[in-house]
Amino acid sequence: MQISDLPYPDPGVPDARSGPRFLWWLGRGQLGGQVRSLAWGMVHFCGIAGLPYTVGLGVGAAVDRDGGRLLLVGGLLLLVGAAIAVGDVMLHRTAVTNWITAAARVQQLLARKTAELGSALTRQVAAGEVVAVSTGDVEKIGWFVEAVSRFLAAAFAVVALCVGLLFYAPAIGVVVAAGVPVLALSVLPLLPRATRRADVQREKAGRATELASDTVAGLRVLRGIGGEELFLDRYRAASQEVREAAVRSARMWAMIAAVQVLLPGALMVAVVWYGSVLVVDERLAVGELVAAFSAVATMLYPLRHFEEIAMSYSFSRPSAQRAARVLSLTRTDEGAGPAAGEPVKAPAPGGDLYDPATGLLAPAGRFTAVVCGDPDLAGRLAERLGGHAVPAGDDPGGAPPSVLLGGVALDGLALEAARARVLVQDKDPVLLSGTLRELFDVPASGAVPAPRALSAAQCGDVLDALLQAAPDGVDDAMDARITERGRSLSGGQRQRLALARSLVADPEVLVLDEPTSAVDAHTEARIADGIAALRAGRTTVVLASSPLLLDRADRVVLVHEGRAVAAGTHRELLRDDPRYRAVVTRETEAERREAGEPAGELTGIEESA
């Protein structure tokens, strides 16, 4: 795989049982790139390993005043230099390719998992952890993957230097061969403490990142209540903890680096001292001493890769563990229903939407409104209707049965088929940055153009505002840019644009959770008319308690204590069902008594209302 071939047509199925297993799976998936990197690394490091012996031959030829040998040594130096230069360039090229392709594969896997889980992702893992995995962690994982081949090439060069010295100058080669393993293993006792400190630093950095993202998201509210300084103080404290942890971690890695400099220096001094004694005793030639000294000096470079592989593994292991934890999440709990087996055949278009857990039925082609006294229950129900099954841990009774579309379980459908049939817009939709035209560039049937959807969602004033804020030269509101998460827009404006985007998609089943909670009553009434007109003949489910929306629905269902207990039109339920009336009108028991109605007709849900 080359960088130009990215993205992967299929990133594969990762081994997410643990962090080390995930790293091993990534490495195996890039075996060809690793082999190329190792081959060029051996060319580079073998050139470095051959340099001391070539220099030693040159010194010996100069001492013997042998011009022919000097000429031969010059040619060898050119060859070794070319091997070092070409090998270094190609090693860097292949290593960076391994790094980028590994990081890209992890990002593709994370993106696929995010699309698969949808809003259920943040219920199972913290948002700050998702951000950390998709940004910094992928780079650390890629770093270890590319460092492996360079480490193996460096280890081969160190072994070659030691073996070469044993044959070239046995008397001094024994000292070097005995000292090198000590140099290579000297940092091992320090690695566990360095790893623990690095883990603490990453944990504190993740908490600070999550705190910062939460503060930015709620900045408007914080300013409204004067809480900016409070949260700034919290972030300052968190950032100082990160700084202190980073300093403590850096001290350990500085100590490891110092050991990697100190011990080779001591070995070099020992080689020079012992070699000088051997030269004086005429048991070692001057050229051999120069070769031994050069070999030890040259060995400092490949030995640094021993420190790097330890550092990269220390940083990448917890990163890979976090990535594996996210990638191991599933749409539903194991054995929760049909999703645990093979995907089933998609239902024929036009089927009813039915939830066995609540008894809710949304007839095909009709506008159904659902009233829940509990907003959290409404949110979970909306996710279930879209095939996002609630994990068993969120439900005291275990995982509920799957929602059925045309008699077929949504959880059992292939993900692409389920998303193409049912679209869920939650109560807090997200707008990505970009132009308005890009916002509406979503998979759609093509039957609903953007202008019609914008009109139905009453977005005229939003278009005017975007056009006024656009730079000179932008004459079409569709080319106006939306800031990150639509922060420059009000809550009602963001809500209406998100509704228009959902209407453009024109799915077979559209589920809307409180789509007008942030708009005024006059706008809400016109939006209700727009949805009813634009979605005529299409299955639409709206979870709301606003009478303006409920009155436009063909059918209204009351869900009380997790069960659908009444169905009819808004006016019928308002007249006949006191539980429905309590939720929709916010009527209290005292008000009912004043009206002369028996208090016993009220239920617990009315009292809570």
Side-chain angles (χ1 to χ4, degrees), residues 12 32 41 45 131 133 139 358 420 564:
F45 284 108
V131 173
V133 171
E139 294 187 6
T358 60

Side-chain angles (χ1 to χ4, degrees), residues 430-449:
V430 174
L431 302 181
L432 301 179
S433 60
T435 65
L436 196 57
R437 196 180 308 280
E438 293 170 340
L439 177 69
F440 289 102
D441 185 16
V442 294
S445 67
V448 180

Side-chain angles (χ1 to χ4, degrees), residues 372-554:
C372 294
D374 183 359
D376 292 334
L377 173 61
R380 293 195 298 270
L381 178 57
E383 291 182 358
R384 280 183 41 75
L385 293 176
H388 301 279
V390 179
D394 292 352
D395 193 313
S402 173
V403 172
L404 306 178
L405 177 61
V408 177
L410 274 181
D411 291 350
L413 293 178
L415 183 62
E416 295 78 7
R419 294 294 177 271
R421 294 298 183 89
V422 184
L423 172 63
V424 178
Q425 177 181 303
D426 60 28
K427 64 182 65 178
D428 187 23
V430 174
L431 302 181
L432 301 179
S433 60
T435 65
L436 196 57
R437 196 180 308 280
E438 293 170 340
L439 177 69
F440 289 102
D441 185 16
V442 294
S445 67
V448 180
R452 284 188 61 197
L454 288 165
S455 176
Q458 299 300 308
C459 294
D461 62 315
V462 184
L463 299 180
D464 293 339
L466 288 173
L467 198 54
Q468 289 177 4
D472 295 339
V474 176
D475 300 324
D476 188 349
M478 297 298 292
D479 295 322
R481 295 196 64 82
I482 299 173
T483 57
E484 179 191 3
R485 297 179 67 91
R487 298 192 192 281
S488 60
L489 302 173
S490 68
Q493 291 174 326
R494 289 197 299 270
Q495 199 172 56
R496 283 178 282 164
L497 283 179
L499 175 59
R501 178 179 57 187
S502 299
L503 294 174
V504 165
D506 190 37
E508 179 182 333
V509 179
L510 177 61
V511 180
L512 304 172
D513 184 10
E514 294 287 356
T516 58
S517 59
V519 301
D520 60 80
H522 180 63
T523 305
E524 184 178 32
R526 290 187 294 175
I527 290 175
D529 291 334
I531 293 175
L534 194 61
R535 293 286 301 173
R538 308 286 273 169
T539 306
T540 306
V541 181
V542 177
L543 293 97
S545 58
S546 167
L548 294 172
L549 273 172
L550 300 174
D551 196 38
R552 269 68 169 185
D554 300 324

Side-chain angles (χ1 to χ4, degrees), residues 283-295:
R283 289 187 292 166
L284 186 70
V286 174
E288 294 174 339
L289 175 61
V290 172
F293 174 80
S294 301

Side-chain angles (χ1 to χ4, degrees), residues 163-443:
V163 173
L165 272 180
L166 285 174
F167 284 97
Y168 184 76
I172 200 73
V174 173
V175 176
V176 176
V180 166
V182 177
L183 300 183
L185 302 177
S186 59
V187 298
L188 289 182
L190 301 176
L191 287 179
R193 180 176 295 182
T195 302
R196 287 195 298 271
R197 291 191 179 184
D199 289 344
V200 171
Q201 177 197 348
R202 282 187 292 274
E203 181 181 352
K204 291 182 179 295
R207 287 202 296 265
T209 300
E210 187 170 354
L211 177 60
S213 62
D214 289 344
T215 302
V216 171
L219 192 57
R220 181 176 297 179
V221 177
L222 291 176
R223 287 174 175 170
I225 63 176
E228 295 170 86
E229 285 301 322
L230 173 63
F231 276 83
L232 283 174
D233 289 342
R234 289 182 181 177
Y235 183 72
R236 289 191 189 101
S239 63
Q240 287 303 310
E241 290 181 5
V242 174
R243 181 189 61 80
E244 293 170 1
V247 169
R248 294 183 72 245
S249 178
R251 285 173 180 165
M252 286 303 305
W253 291 111
M255 183 179 298
I256 291 174
V259 169
Q260 293 280 31
V261 173
L262 178 63
L263 293 184
L267 178 61
M268 190 178 300
V269 171
V271 167
V272 172
W273 174 79
Y274 183 60
S276 300
V277 172
L278 294 178
V279 169
V280 171
D281 294 342
E282 296 183 351
R283 289 187 292 166
L284 186 70
V286 174
E288 294 174 339
L289 175 61
V290 172
F293 174 80
S294 301
V296 175
T298 303
M299 208 175 292
L300 294 177
Y301 173 59
L303 280 175
R304 290 176 186 171
H305 291 76
F306 286 71
E307 176 191 352
E308 183 190 14
I309 195 66
M311 183 182 294
S312 63
Y313 181 73
S314 171
F315 278 88
S316 66
R317 181 185 53 79
S319 296
Q321 186 64 45
R322 283 195 292 267
R325 184 162 57 247
V326 174
L327 294 174
S328 63
L329 301 176
T330 57
R331 289 176 62 193
T332 58
D333 286 342
E334 188 70 23
E342 293 295 326
V344 297
K345 185 178 179 181
D352 296 340
L353 186 68
Y354 177 66
D355 179 20
T358 60
L360 170 64
L361 174 66
R366 301 186 67 187
F367 183 178
T368 302
V370 181
V371 175
C372 294
D374 183 359
D376 292 334
L377 173 61
R380 293 195 298 270
L381 178 57
E383 291 182 358
R384 280 183 41 75
L385 293 176
H388 301 279
V390 179
D394 292 352
D395 193 313
S402 173
V403 172
L404 306 178
L405 177 61
V408 177
L410 274 181
D411 291 350
L413 293 178
L415 183 62
E416 295 78 7
R419 294 294 177 271
R421 294 298 183 89
V422 184
L423 172 63
V424 178
Q425 177 181 303
D426 60 28
K427 64 182 65 178
D428 187 23
V430 174
L431 302 181
L432 301 179
S433 60
T435 65
L436 196 57
R437 196 180 308 280
E438 293 170 340
L439 177 69
F440 289 102
D441 185 16
V442 294

